[in-house]
mmCIF file of all heavy atoms in Angstrom:
data_model
loop_
_atom_site.group_PDB
_atom_site.id
_atom_site.type_symbol
_atom_site.label_atom_id
_atom_site.label_comp_id
_atom_site.label_asym_id
_atom_site.label_seq_id
_atom_site.Cartn_x
_atom_site.Cartn_y
_atom_site.Cartn_z
ATOM 1 N N ASP A 145 72.220 44.766 81.522
ATOM 2 C CA ASP A 145 72.104 45.330 82.865
ATOM 3 C C ASP A 145 70.923 44.751 83.641
ATOM 4 O O ASP A 145 70.912 44.779 84.866
ATOM 5 C CB ASP A 145 71.930 46.850 82.804
ATOM 6 C CG ASP A 145 73.175 47.555 82.309
ATOM 7 O OD1 ASP A 145 74.226 46.893 82.139
ATOM 8 O OD2 ASP A 145 73.099 48.771 82.082
ATOM 9 N N PHE A 146 69.906 44.281 82.924
ATOM 10 C CA PHE A 146 68.697 43.765 83.564
ATOM 11 C C PHE A 146 68.564 42.249 83.463
ATOM 12 O O PHE A 146 67.549 41.705 83.888
ATOM 13 C CB PHE A 146 67.450 44.422 82.954
ATOM 14 C CG PHE A 146 67.375 45.892 83.201
ATOM 15 C CD1 PHE A 146 67.535 46.792 82.158
ATOM 16 C CD2 PHE A 146 67.150 46.385 84.479
ATOM 17 C CE1 PHE A 146 67.473 48.154 82.388
ATOM 18 C CE2 PHE A 146 67.084 47.742 84.716
ATOM 19 C CZ PHE A 146 67.240 48.628 83.673
ATOM 20 N N LEU A 147 69.556 41.591 82.895
ATOM 21 C CA LEU A 147 69.440 40.156 82.642
ATOM 22 C C LEU A 147 69.152 39.369 83.919
ATOM 23 O O LEU A 147 68.218 38.562 83.957
ATOM 24 C CB LEU A 147 70.714 39.625 81.976
ATOM 25 C CG LEU A 147 70.703 38.118 81.695
ATOM 26 C CD1 LEU A 147 69.604 37.764 80.704
ATOM 27 C CD2 LEU A 147 72.059 37.678 81.191
ATOM 28 N N ASP A 148 69.926 39.584 84.956
ATOM 29 C CA ASP A 148 69.745 38.807 86.186
ATOM 30 C C ASP A 148 68.362 39.049 86.788
ATOM 31 O O ASP A 148 67.656 38.100 87.138
ATOM 32 C CB ASP A 148 70.848 39.158 87.195
ATOM 33 C CG ASP A 148 70.958 38.131 88.292
ATOM 34 O OD1 ASP A 148 71.206 36.948 87.988
ATOM 35 O OD2 ASP A 148 70.756 38.502 89.466
ATOM 36 N N LEU A 149 67.964 40.312 86.876
ATOM 37 C CA LEU A 149 66.657 40.652 87.435
ATOM 38 C C LEU A 149 65.525 40.059 86.603
ATOM 39 O O LEU A 149 64.588 39.463 87.136
ATOM 40 C CB LEU A 149 66.502 42.168 87.540
ATOM 41 C CG LEU A 149 65.169 42.665 88.092
ATOM 42 C CD1 LEU A 149 64.938 42.144 89.504
ATOM 43 C CD2 LEU A 149 65.142 44.189 88.062
ATOM 44 N N HIS A 150 65.614 40.180 85.292
ATOM 45 C CA HIS A 150 64.568 39.633 84.422
ATOM 46 C C HIS A 150 64.527 38.112 84.500
ATOM 47 O O HIS A 150 63.431 37.530 84.461
ATOM 48 C CB HIS A 150 64.768 40.102 82.983
ATOM 49 C CG HIS A 150 64.321 41.507 82.755
ATOM 50 N ND1 HIS A 150 63.818 41.940 81.564
ATOM 51 C CD2 HIS A 150 64.286 42.581 83.580
ATOM 52 C CE1 HIS A 150 63.505 43.224 81.649
ATOM 53 N NE2 HIS A 150 63.793 43.629 82.868
ATOM 54 N N ALA A 151 65.676 37.481 84.597
ATOM 55 C CA ALA A 151 65.696 36.019 84.724
ATOM 56 C C ALA A 151 65.024 35.594 86.033
ATOM 57 O O ALA A 151 64.255 34.623 86.056
ATOM 58 C CB ALA A 151 67.132 35.500 84.658
ATOM 59 N N HIS A 152 65.282 36.320 87.110
ATOM 60 C CA HIS A 152 64.611 36.022 88.391
ATOM 61 C C HIS A 152 63.101 36.209 88.266
ATOM 62 O O HIS A 152 62.327 35.382 88.754
ATOM 63 C CB HIS A 152 65.142 36.931 89.510
ATOM 64 C CG HIS A 152 66.421 36.474 90.102
ATOM 65 N ND1 HIS A 152 66.507 35.442 91.009
ATOM 66 C CD2 HIS A 152 67.691 36.908 89.926
ATOM 67 C CE1 HIS A 152 67.763 35.259 91.361
ATOM 68 N NE2 HIS A 152 68.499 36.135 90.717
ATOM 69 N N MET A 153 62.696 37.301 87.619
ATOM 70 C CA MET A 153 61.264 37.554 87.460
ATOM 71 C C MET A 153 60.614 36.488 86.589
ATOM 72 O O MET A 153 59.508 36.017 86.897
ATOM 73 C CB MET A 153 61.034 38.950 86.876
ATOM 74 C CG MET A 153 61.409 40.052 87.868
ATOM 75 S SD MET A 153 61.356 41.782 87.300
ATOM 76 C CE MET A 153 60.683 41.806 85.713
ATOM 77 N N LEU A 154 61.282 36.097 85.530
ATOM 78 C CA LEU A 154 60.744 35.060 84.650
ATOM 79 C C LEU A 154 60.644 33.730 85.387
ATOM 80 O O LEU A 154 59.614 33.046 85.317
ATOM 81 C CB LEU A 154 61.620 34.923 83.398
ATOM 82 C CG LEU A 154 61.189 33.889 82.368
ATOM 83 C CD1 LEU A 154 59.767 34.144 81.890
ATOM 84 C CD2 LEU A 154 62.159 33.902 81.190
ATOM 85 N N LEU A 155 61.679 33.381 86.131
ATOM 86 C CA LEU A 155 61.641 32.134 86.893
ATOM 87 C C LEU A 155 60.524 32.165 87.928
ATOM 88 O O LEU A 155 59.812 31.171 88.112
ATOM 89 C CB LEU A 155 62.983 31.867 87.573
ATOM 90 C CG LEU A 155 63.068 30.548 88.338
ATOM 91 C CD1 LEU A 155 62.888 29.358 87.400
ATOM 92 C CD2 LEU A 155 64.387 30.450 89.083
ATOM 93 N N ALA A 156 60.338 33.297 88.593
ATOM 94 C CA ALA A 156 59.259 33.406 89.586
ATOM 95 C C ALA A 156 57.901 33.216 88.923
ATOM 96 O O ALA A 156 57.036 32.497 89.449
ATOM 97 C CB ALA A 156 59.330 34.759 90.293
ATOM 98 N N ALA A 157 57.705 33.815 87.771
ATOM 99 C CA ALA A 157 56.429 33.665 87.055
ATOM 100 C C ALA A 157 56.223 32.222 86.615
ATOM 101 O O ALA A 157 55.124 31.671 86.749
ATOM 102 C CB ALA A 157 56.395 34.603 85.850
ATOM 103 N N ILE A 158 57.268 31.616 86.113
ATOM 104 C CA ILE A 158 57.172 30.221 85.668
ATOM 105 C C ILE A 158 56.873 29.311 86.857
ATOM 106 O O ILE A 158 55.979 28.453 86.788
ATOM 107 C CB ILE A 158 58.478 29.791 84.963
ATOM 108 C CG1 ILE A 158 58.648 30.562 83.667
ATOM 109 C CG2 ILE A 158 58.487 28.285 84.716
ATOM 110 C CD1 ILE A 158 60.056 30.508 83.115
ATOM 111 N N ASN A 159 57.611 29.489 87.945
ATOM 112 C CA ASN A 159 57.404 28.628 89.120
ATOM 113 C C ASN A 159 56.018 28.831 89.729
ATOM 114 O O ASN A 159 55.400 27.880 90.213
ATOM 115 C CB ASN A 159 58.497 28.845 90.157
ATOM 116 C CG ASN A 159 59.805 28.211 89.740
ATOM 117 O OD1 ASN A 159 59.855 27.411 88.809
ATOM 118 N ND2 ASN A 159 60.875 28.558 90.416
ATOM 119 N N GLU A 160 55.518 30.046 89.709
ATOM 120 C CA GLU A 160 54.155 30.276 90.203
ATOM 121 C C GLU A 160 53.144 29.555 89.329
ATOM 122 O O GLU A 160 52.190 28.954 89.829
ATOM 123 C CB GLU A 160 53.848 31.773 90.278
ATOM 124 C CG GLU A 160 52.520 32.085 90.902
ATOM 125 C CD GLU A 160 52.361 31.615 92.347
ATOM 126 O OE1 GLU A 160 53.367 31.467 93.058
ATOM 127 O OE2 GLU A 160 51.211 31.396 92.774
ATOM 128 N N SER A 161 53.364 29.585 88.014
ATOM 129 C CA SER A 161 52.493 28.833 87.104
ATOM 130 C C SER A 161 52.544 27.342 87.426
ATOM 131 O O SER A 161 51.515 26.659 87.452
ATOM 132 C CB SER A 161 52.930 29.042 85.647
ATOM 133 O OG SER A 161 52.812 30.385 85.287
ATOM 134 N N VAL A 162 53.739 26.851 87.677
ATOM 135 C CA VAL A 162 53.929 25.435 88.008
ATOM 136 C C VAL A 162 53.175 25.081 89.288
ATOM 137 O O VAL A 162 52.497 24.055 89.361
ATOM 138 C CB VAL A 162 55.440 25.130 88.161
ATOM 139 C CG1 VAL A 162 55.678 23.810 88.848
ATOM 140 C CG2 VAL A 162 56.104 25.150 86.798
#
Side-chain angles (χ1 to χ4, degrees):
D145 292 353
F146 295 111
L147 179 63
D148 197 59
L149 179 60
H150 282 211
H152 279 282
M153 291 174 7
L154 181 57
L155 183 62
I158 293 164
N159 285 347
E160 186 61 25
S161 298
V162 165

